[in-house]
Amino acid sequence: MLKGQAFKFGDSISTDLIVPGRLLHLRSNLPELAKHVLEDADPTFAGRVHKGDFVVGGKNFGLGSSREHAPLVIKMAGVSAIIAKSVARIFFRNAINVGLPVLICDTDGINDGDELEVDLEEGNIRDLTSGLEVGFAPIPEIMLRILDEGGLVPYIRKYGDFVLPKS
Amino acid sequence: MGQTLAEKILTARADTEARAGHIVVARVDLAFVQDTTGPLTVRQFSEAGLPLHNPEKTAMFIDHSAPSPAKELSNDHVFMRKFAAETGAKLSDIGEGVCHQLVAESWAKPGDVIVGADSHTVTAGALGAFATGMGSTDVAVAMALGKTWLRVPETMRIRANGKWPKGVYSKDLILYLIGMIGADGATYKSLEFTGEAVTAMSMSQRLTIANMAVEAGAKVGLFPSDAVTQSYLREHGRGELFVPLAPDADADYESTTDIDVSRLEPTVSKPHTVDNTALAKDLKGVKIEQVFIGTCTNGRLEDLALVAGMMKGKKHHPRTRLVVAPASQKILLAAIEKGYITTLVEAGATVVPPGCAACLGVHQGVLGNGESCLSTANRNFKGRMGNPESFVYLASPATAAATALRGEITDPREVL
Ligand code: SF4
């Protein structure tokens, strides 16, 4: 069970808004880069986010560049999951690969600052502030396994190869 | 039931019948990184603890901040060079060009599966390669295993027919399409381009379209491989790698969109999203401080030839700086030989070395507060060119040249 506060963002939060090119020189210094997470979308976010909190977006979260630093610094900031209406493809894979859950559901009923409780197994989000409950789309099995291991690198270290579920 | 291009390629590379919705593990013909994603890839690769599957199928490109503008980035480059030297991975160093252009010139062939730690890896779809962008860790694992897992995408067929009108190019078609379906209109899908207007397109024009497939969210942007593909491969000394590739007539498409190119007009994406499109003629009067011609989208010889032709004997508008970055060394050399570079420099252009240059806002043309740039690149997100207080418009090289001449957004048909 994950528990934390919602930080609400709008539609189309691009990887340029999460970690812009002008901070490229910090990419091999992740703790420093993480201080700027989502800075161009909300300059106060990095200072306010706490361990366990959620980033809640609208449509097409994470569109743009393939930079994996984007989900990585969101995770480093303590965020326990990203919740959005839809998520760009590369960002989705990257987030799972670094062990950051991505949950797809209608986020209109979640407001900035709401207290959320997420049950990854049940596939459901409870907004403790508003009382709202929403289910999220199931995560594909191969991704669930990767997530279970904490990311793709630990997954590969364990299995040595991709293991596809028997269909 | 027949197969789409995506299904055909993945069936061959995964040794199993690949149908939309299946999850497959496909052999990878090329895994590559560039200098913004490469250092993390190398770290993840080392963490995974496996050797390189095949150095001959692994490439590292130093193109995004090349030559380096900062010591931290220089150290990233040192790190990448060291890894390449130790493992035998192929290295392309500063000045050689943008990764996607070099992949098209020297690597991609029809039927390949290519994974690159860069979202515009889709560019090689123009040659009939299932080429898709991934993050550092996915590519690190592909480097180690020589394969990757993929969900076989559903396909949206784009059928372009009609004759190309004067002043309208493939860039206008792809901007129009993204404007129509939206920046998430093809998320997770394969965009497959067919029709007589596609057959008529040069490889340079096709590369522009495939490159921007990701701006509609697509996983790949695929073209059949035909006579144009064959002559492009031959031109680059790789003619023997040609194989014809076409979708089956009875393939199953999620949707089909017909576009009559003869009705298209010069199109521009306005700040701050690619799908925020308008016609160039309706943006008349928008003042532009910098025109940037280059990138993996539109920095090819054909683009430079067009721009040089439009600017010959003229000067850029005093308000508007003109920055030109050829997409590769080969293109730069050919442009020198053909006199395009002389023409552009005489027109007042600042020519910077082959590479990404101003595209991603690290160097060589970062915008000032309140400034606007009209760029031939593929992305105009807030902050993209290094300053969230600036504005980026996207358009074809012809619109860019017309705009450089007039100092404000200009429909190229007024100048051509
Ligand atoms: S030219 Fe621009 S879009 Fe192309 S690879 Fe370089 S930074 Fe990315």
Side-chain angles (χ1 to χ4, degrees):
Chain A
M1 187 81 77
L2 309 174
K3 217 174 152 172
Q5 194 191 328
F7 282 83
K8 186 85 186 265
F9 294 85
D11 289 340
S12 308
I13 297 297
S14 72
T15 53
D16 280 306
L17 290 175
I18 304 168
V19 272
R22 72 187 147 77
L23 299 176
L24 196 62
H25 60 287
L26 296 178
R27 285 207 195 162
S28 286
N29 184 353
L30 288 170
E32 210 34 55
L33 187 63
K35 291 185 188 159
H36 299 272
V37 57
L38 277 157
E39 188 172 85
D40 288 349
D42 175 0
T44 69
F45 172 75
R48 293 189 296 134
V49 66
H50 289 105
K51 195 165 167 46
D53 287 347
F54 301 95
V55 164
V56 182
K59 273 187 358 174
N60 211 7
F61 192 92
L63 77 159
S65 136
S66 68
R67 58 190 79 145
E68 193 169 311
H69 312 73
L72 205 51
V73 294
I74 292 178
K75 187 181 178 198
M76 287 176 70
V79 170
S80 61
I82 289 171
I83 307 171
K85 286 186 193 169
S86 64
V87 175
R89 190 188 68 80
I90 303 175
F91 185 90
F92 196 145
R93 270 183 91 123
N94 283 346
I96 302 294
N97 285 346
V98 302
L100 177 66
V102 176
L103 315 173
I104 314 277
C105 66
D106 185 357
T107 54
D108 277 347
I110 303 173
N111 295 310
D112 191 47
D114 284 2
E115 280 299 319
L116 307 181
E117 211 173 68
V118 171
D119 190 327
L120 284 177
E121 254 126 67
E122 294 271 298
N124 132 51
I125 300 166
R126 282 180 63 205
D127 188 323
L128 303 176
T129 311
S130 71
L132 177 92
E133 270 204 44
V134 275
F136 53 83
I139 300 174
E141 199 173 327
I142 183 165
M143 290 183 139
L144 267 184
R145 286 237 200 151
I146 294 170
L147 213 44
D148 272 350
E149 297 308 323
L152 185 59
V153 166
Y155 171 96
I156 288 296
R157 286 179 72 103
K158 176 161 170 184
Y159 295 106
D161 200 350
F162 297 113
V163 189
L164 290 190
K166 296 268 171 290
S167 55
Chain B
M1 179 63 71
Q3 291 191 307
T4 62
L5 276 176
E7 290 170 332
K8 270 196 176 173
I9 298 169
L10 293 180
T11 294
R13 286 297 189 275
D15 305 314
T16 177
E17 165 112 0
R19 292 282 174 184
H22 292 177
I23 303 247
V24 298
V25 174
R27 278 176 278 125
V28 165
D29 297 276
L30 171 66
F32 76 88
V33 302
Q34 34 85 343
D35 53 325
T36 80
T37 56
L40 182 57
T41 306
V42 170
R43 279 183 209 110
Q44 297 293 74
F45 177 85
S46 310
E47 274 280 313
L50 294 168
L52 206 53
H53 176 76
N54 186 348
E56 300 294 322
K57 293 184 173 184
T58 308
M60 313 186 87
F61 298 90
I62 299 181
D63 57 351
H64 275 59
S65 42
S68 167
K71 65 178 191 298
E72 294 87 348
L73 295 166
S74 309
N75 291 336
D76 281 346
H77 294 173
V78 169
F79 186 57
M80 285 174 69
R81 290 186 191 107
K82 185 162 168 274
F83 179 82
E86 281 169 5
T87 60
K90 303 293 154 215
L91 180 81
S92 165
D93 217 317
I94 65 163
E96 290 184 43
V98 184
C99 52
H100 309 301
Q101 179 58 28
L102 297 173
V103 166
E105 288 175 5
S106 309
W107 293 89
K109 58 184 191 301
D112 274 359
V113 169
I114 295 177
V115 297
D118 189 285
S119 59
H120 294 105
T121 301
V122 285
T123 311
L127 284 112
F130 190 101
T132 190
M134 292 186 174
S136 295
T137 305
D138 266 321
V139 173
V141 170
M143 282 161 54
L145 300 180
K147 51 191 175 180
T148 191
W149 77 270
L150 292 160
R151 183 183 173 281
V152 183
E154 288 80 17
T155 296
M156 295 168 68
R157 172 167 54 175
I158 310 298
R159 247 183 345 210
N161 285 306
K163 242 183 114 248
W164 287 96
K166 185 175 161 201
V168 176
Y169 305 88
S170 68
K171 182 64 162 284
D172 300 299
L173 167 58
I174 190 67
L175 293 181
Y176 167 81
L177 179 69
I178 295 166
M180 177 167 68
I181 67 175
D184 59 354
T187 300
Y188 302 106
K189 312 287 185 219
S190 165
L191 283 175
E192 193 179 287
F193 296 91
T194 56
E196 65 188 29
V198 168
T199 311
M201 261 184 234
S202 67
M203 185 51 69
S204 179
Q205 296 282 316
R206 294 179 188 188
L207 286 161
T208 302
I209 289 190
N211 174 268
M212 291 195 71
V214 70
E215 305 312 330
K219 185 173 202 157
V220 282
L222 287 171
F223 284 71
S225 89
D226 58 11
V228 171
T229 322
Q230 186 167 24
S231 58
Y232 184 83
L233 286 170
R234 216 181 276 139
E235 231 175 86
H236 293 281
R238 305 192 294 130
E240 76 288 357
L241 299 175
F242 174 76
V243 280
L245 201 63
D248 293 324
D250 59 344
D252 196 11
Y253 292 100
E254 186 183 87
S255 65
T256 297
T257 303
D258 284 295
I259 296 177
D260 178 359
V261 301
S262 67
R263 305 174 78 134
L264 295 179
E265 296 190 68
T267 302
V268 176
S269 288
K270 298 182 290 178
H272 294 291
T273 56
V274 185
D275 55 5
N276 188 18
T277 54
L279 294 181
K281 65 181 186 198
D282 295 334
L283 295 175
K284 207 179 161 82
V286 174
K287 309 241 181 314
I288 296 293
E289 283 77 28
Q290 176 169 296
V291 162
F292 174 50
I293 294 169
T295 79
C296 55
T297 319
N298 276 121
R300 281 176 275 279
L301 192 63
E302 203 176 296
D303 303 319
L304 300 182
L306 178 76
V307 172
M310 288 174 70
M311 305 205 65
K312 195 163 177 71
K314 299 178 184 156
K315 288 263 181 244
H316 66 77
H317 190 277
R319 178 195 302 127
T320 312
R321 309 181 291 275
L322 175 60
V323 179
V324 177
S328 76
Q329 205 168 62
K330 248 188 185 171
I331 293 168
L332 173 61
L333 282 169
I336 290 171
E337 199 190 319
K338 293 193 179 284
Y340 306 150
I341 297 296
T342 306
T343 302
L344 290 170
V345 173
E346 281 171 357
T350 301
V351 179
V352 301
C356 300
C359 182
L360 79 162
V362 218
H363 65 163
Q364 294 174 353
V366 174
L367 302 173
N369 288 1
E371 284 196 318
S372 293
C373 176
L374 186 129
S375 162
T376 65
N378 44 35
R379 235 166 230 167
N380 60 350
F381 303 139
K382 194 174 173 201
R384 173 70 184 179
M385 291 185 74
N387 185 347
E389 305 297 323
S390 67
F391 304 90
V392 182
Y393 294 82
L394 306 174
S396 74
T399 304
T403 299
L405 289 169
R406 298 268 175 94
E408 56 181 50
I409 295 181
T410 302
D411 186 321
R413 293 172 299 189
E414 285 185 27
V415 179
L416 276 165

